[in-house]
Amino acid sequence: ANIGHLPLFEETLLLDEVARGGSMDEYMGFLYPLLIRFTLGIEKVLHIPYYVLLYILQLVSAACAIIYMLNCHGRILGCSKMKTALVIAYLLTFPQLLQLHFAVLPYSLAMSAGLILICDGLFYLRHTEKFRGKVLIRLCGLWLLEVVLLPDYKWMMGLFMLGVLVTGAVKNRQWRGRILISILCTVLCFGVVEKSTQTPGSMGRV
């Protein structure tokens, strides 16, 4: 991994093409090409390569997600401040993950959002008395964020979300209606986003 280098993966080239005005197929979320377009605009002003800006964003997001995980479950791990710093440094510099942080691909940001979603879900499964409306909004919002980054996560994270929300509904009967409405609204948002941003088959991928 090299912060001054842009690995030219095939998917990176497709994302760049979409960011510069190309059409998007059903396998690509709209958020990452939007981020590329935004950083391209900053590049013209600050003369910093857009991919360096993306790398910084991805590293900061990953660090925040790790800190959030340790705040949620640090007692289980017995983490002191020093241990927390070492865990963050280790996870950020783990070679396979570092390769994703230093690439123009949506996987780093999707993993960071997914880690926060999983931590939130597990936390509220253990503390169901804290299951409130804002929790539903945050969980569904993170699920939607995953999907606009990587559409395949709709079902991958959907299974986890289903488990969390069904368990929450069982333990909090008064929330059953709100949980059902939250799931339906989120799935409806998926449909609207896909219909308005994707052109199936436009990139020739099967």
Side-chain angles (χ1 to χ4, degrees), residues 149-167:
L149 281 167
L150 283 171
D152 288 345
Y153 278 35
K154 175 169 58 178
W155 305 117
M156 188 184 301
M157 285 299 176
L159 292 174
F160 175 77
M161 281 289 294
L162 185 63
V164 170
L165 295 178
V166 167
T167 303

Side-chain angles (χ1 to χ4, degrees), residues 8 11 70 77 81 112 135 137 139 146 164 181 185 205:
L8 295 178
E11 189 172 353
L70 295 176
L77 302 173
K81 289 184 178 179
S112 298
V135 175
I137 294 172
L139 289 174
E146 288 281 274
V164 170
I181 292 172
C185 288
R205 296 189 289 183

Side-chain angles (χ1 to χ4, degrees), residues 157-200:
M157 285 299 176
L159 292 174
F160 175 77
M161 281 289 294
L162 185 63
V164 170
L165 295 178
V166 167
T167 303
V170 170
K171 293 185 176 181
N172 296 270
R173 296 183 179 181
Q174 69 271 25
W175 284 91
R176 289 180 180 177
R178 297 181 187 184
I179 288 173
L180 179 60
I181 292 172
S182 297
I183 294 174
L184 291 175
C185 288
T186 306
V187 172
L188 179 62
C189 286
F190 294 161
V192 171
V193 168
E194 290 173 355
K195 191 72 174 178
S196 59
T197 62
Q198 297 175 350
T199 305

